[in-house]
Amino acid sequence: MQLSAPAILVAARPHGETAVIARMLTEESGLVAAYVAGGRGRVLRPVVIPGNVVAADIRAKSDSQLPFARLELVRSRGPWLSEPLPAAAIAWATALTASALPERNPYPTLYAALGGLLDAICSSDSARQWVEALVAYEALLLRELGYGGERPAIADLGQALEILDRQEGLIARYLLADTRTDVLAARQLLRQRLARMIE
């Protein structure tokens, strides 16, 4: 395997003393996991953050081998991780993507939608401006994997939150049923923070 492409980093798990197993969503190859040497070191730690866009150079000698990756930062989401609501939204969107998608299946529509959602979260003044995009991304993910219908029509924030609540059961049942970690905890934290907007 040889791949050089922009990618959205969706998960990073420590491996050994200084390395990381990074999972990245690429437009043409889908979700790809790779070993990043020094990923927990001083230089790469700010690069290997879920939500960041990276230029990835991924190589493996065979299809059965975990690839090695070199990463360069293209766009950082780091500044928004100190803001509770954007940080929770980025954490949920990336964790859901990393947990739900099968590896090495291309989903160009999801790649574009996740990039647009993360851009909206990081460029909006308020969650009111991106919560509809989050609802639409969840619905698109369900639809792309064969579990959903049409994109929901959303009139206001209250309706967006209602649809968000309805989609949780579908996501838990169909997309996250086989995961060993509690990915929904990230969603519940986000939902609690969104609820404060309308109290």
Side-chain angles (χ1 to χ4, degrees), residues 5 18 25 41 46 54 69 73 124 154 159 169:
T18 61
L25 183 62
V54 295
L73 184 63
S124 299
I154 301 170
Q159 186 180 27

Side-chain angles (χ1 to χ4, degrees), residues 54-90:
V54 295
D57 184 22
I58 303 169
R59 299 189 185 279
K61 292 179 181 175
S62 70
D63 285 341
S64 61
Q65 180 187 42
L66 180 69
F68 286 82
R70 288 188 193 153
L71 306 179
E72 288 184 29
L73 184 63
V74 174
R75 187 176 309 126
S76 175
R77 309 293 184 194
W80 288 272
L81 298 183
S82 61
E83 300 291 328
L85 200 47
I90 292 167

Side-chain angles (χ1 to χ4, degrees), residues 4 6 11 20 22 43 61 83 88 107 122 126 165 171-172 175 179 196:
S4 293
V20 161
V43 174
K61 292 179 181 175
E83 300 291 328
Y107 293 97
C122 296
S126 163
D165 291 339
I171 289 168
L175 303 184
T179 59
R196 293 183 197 136

Side-chain angles (χ1 to χ4, degrees), residues 92-110:
W92 165 242
T94 55
L96 173 63
T97 304
S99 299
L101 290 183
E103 291 207 7
R104 300 192 188 181
N105 289 334
Y107 293 97
T109 305
L110 284 173

